[in-house]
Every structure is written in C-alpha cells, then in structure tokens.
Amino acid sequence: MTSTRTYHHGDLRRAVLTAALDVIRTEGPGALSLRDLARRAGVSHAAPAHHFKDRTGLLTAVATEGYELFADALADAPDLRERGVRYVRFATEHPAHFQVMFQPELCRADDPELVAAKLRASVELRAGVSGLPAAGRGEDAALAGTAAWSLAHGFATLLLSGNLGGAVGDRDPEEVFRSVAGLLFDAEGPS
C-alpha cells in the first residue's frame, strides 16, 4: 500500500522569508539557497519558486519588506535626531533586512513593490531634514539630508559590524548616537 504525503503549509511565503532572514542574519545573503529554504520550511524544493521565482525575487521581497518596516519605524519621529535614533534601532532590530536593503545588486531594482517601498522610506527620511529651519540645514537641503543619512547609516553599519565596541562600550547605542548626532546637529540643525 502506498501512502501519499499531503502537506499544506499555512503561510509558505512567510515561512520562507523568515528562514531567509535567519540565514542572512547568521551567514549573509550569499548563503541563501531556495532549495535549503524549502528544506527548512519542510516543503518541496520547487515550492518557494511559486512565491519568489528565484533567489533574486526572494531577496527583492526581503528588501521590500525591509523598506516598509523601515518607513514605519521612521514615521512620526519628532525631529531629525530621533529619526536617526530610529534608523539605528531599525538596523539593530532588523539586521538581515538592513543588510539586503542597501545592496541594490541583490534585488530587482525595477520591481514595483520595491520601488514603492523605497520611495515611502525616502519620504520619511527626507521629512527629518525638511523639518529643520533653513538656517539649520544650509542652502542645500539635499546635501543636509545626505549628511544626516550618512551619519545614521554609518553609525548603524559600524555598530552592526562590531566596530563601535570601544566607543559604545556598555552604553545604550541609541544614547551614544544621540550624543554623536548632537556633536553635528544642534537643536537648530547642523553646526
């Protein structure tokens, strides 16, 4: 007598994304394999392709989800410094998303959902600088935005890669970022 195994996965897309995030967090995006993720989810090796088509599609979905979470994290921050704090918090709470989001070669840049999510996050990032008085951001708001983004992204990247151990020590990284940002951006804007 032959028995056929029927398996229904409640939310295969979410299960594969969750497994992918675990792999990225521990081994990096280069270690991703749809076949391995299918094995982890307990489904056939072809099943993830129904949701993501291929590895690039999966990474595009990770980046899209990341940008959506990122925009949510930045929304309604009271000022530029707190947007930076939320940037750092997002990176520490979602390191796998963060890693993929800022490696555009991993994703389909023209994916409509990714484009929309990136735009939403960009609007949230720019809102912090647009809230500064003109004297505080200088004549070039775009350049001030680049400076603020560079500070938050650089701090978050250095923190995640373990390069701020001595500077942060036992202190809360968010408080350290507030202090660092205060060196460059006072209550009125850039020094």
Side-chain angles (χ1 to χ4, degrees):
M1 178 169 158
T2 314
S3 76
T4 57
R5 179 178 167 226
T6 59
Y7 184 79
H8 175 72
H9 202 288
D11 188 353
L12 177 61
R13 184 177 197 283
R14 179 77 258 154
V16 172
L17 278 170
T18 299
L21 292 168
D22 288 343
V23 170
I24 294 166
R25 186 175 26 261
T26 59
E27 302 172 48
L32 275 185
S33 151
L34 287 183
R35 185 176 293 271
D36 176 56
L37 295 174
R39 181 189 55 75
R40 290 172 186 243
V43 296
S44 77
H45 72 274
H50 294 293
H51 291 281
F52 304 107
K53 186 177 176 185
D54 56 18
R55 185 176 179 278
T56 302
L58 173 63
L59 289 166
T60 301
V62 167
T64 301
E65 180 178 81
Y67 279 110
E68 288 293 337
L69 292 167
F70 186 49
D72 291 345
L74 296 175
D76 302 323
D79 57 32
L80 180 62
R81 189 175 307 178
E82 287 308 305
R83 266 179 215 281
V85 168
R86 290 181 184 191
Y87 195 111
V88 170
R89 185 180 305 145
F90 172 82
T92 60
E93 290 177 354
H94 302 280
H97 286 103
F98 188 79
Q99 204 177 143
V100 173
M101 290 163 55
F102 298 104
Q103 292 187 56
E105 71 280 3
L106 296 177
C107 304
R108 288 193 179 89
D110 61 347
D111 179 84
E113 290 179 11
L114 177 60
V115 170
K118 285 176 81 170
L119 177 61
R120 184 171 164 243
S122 178
V123 166
E124 290 296 340
L125 281 170
R126 285 194 309 269
V129 172
S130 66
L132 291 174
R137 69 174 178 263
E139 292 182 25
D140 189 343
L143 190 57
T146 300
W149 182 26
S150 298
L151 177 63
H153 189 81
F155 187 92
T157 301
L158 290 169
L159 182 65
L160 288 178
S161 62
N163 287 298
L164 290 182
V168 173
D170 292 337
R171 296 182 291 171
D172 177 4
E174 293 179 18
E175 287 304 318
V176 173
F177 178 81
R178 282 186 183 95
S179 297
V180 169
L183 296 172
L184 302 176
F185 293 91
D186 62 24
E188 298 300 311
S191 304

